[in-house]
Amino acid sequence: MIRHIVLANLRSDLSPAEKESLFAALAGMKEHIPGIVAFTAGANNSPEGLDRGHSHGFTVDFVDAAARDAYLPHPHHVKVATQLVGATEGGVGGLLVLDYEI
C-alpha cells in the first residue's frame, strides 16, 4: 500500500463552510477513483509549533503504487486538486506532499 500525505496552508479567509466543502470533496474522491482504500483529514492541533504554516492535512491510502499513479492524472482528482490549490496560501507553494509505502 501507498500512503499519500498532503499538508496544506489554507487561506485564512476561508469560511468554515468552505473548508468543510473542500474536505468533503477530498473525501469523496474515494467514491470516484479506483484503488483508494482510506482517507483521513483534519486541522493541525500539534503543540510543537513545527507546522511551518500548514493548518490542515490529509492522507489517502492506495492499494499500491499503480493505483496512486493512476489517481494523479484522474479527472476527478485534477478537479479536486485544483480546488485545493485555490484554497491554499500561495497556491501549490502552500502544499507539502509526501508518499511512502506502508
Side-chain angles (χ1 to χ4, degrees):
M1 287 181 41
I2 297 292
R3 178 155 292 156
H4 178 67
I5 302 169
V6 179
L7 303 178
N9 180 4
L10 295 184
R11 293 189 343 256
S12 60
D13 65 329
L14 289 180
S15 70
E18 289 171 315
K19 291 175 188 175
E20 185 176 323
S21 175
L22 173 62
F23 282 96
L26 289 163
M29 290 190 303
K30 185 177 178 189
E31 305 304 318
H32 298 277
I33 302 173
I36 296 176
V37 295
F39 174 86
T40 60
N44 177 40
N45 67 4
S46 174
E48 294 180 288
L50 299 174
D51 54 68
R52 297 185 182 165
H54 297 96
S55 59
H56 292 74
F58 64 90
T59 64
V60 183
D61 291 346
F62 296 93
V63 294
D64 56 22
R68 184 265 326 269
D69 294 349
Y71 149 92
L72 293 172
H74 191 284
H76 193 77
H77 170 251
V78 171
K79 176 183 173 184
V80 175
T82 299
Q83 185 180 356
L84 175 62
V85 168
T88 61
E89 291 288 346
V92 173
L95 296 170
L96 177 64
V97 178
L98 178 88
D99 295 354
Y100 62 87
E101 193 167 353
I102 57 173

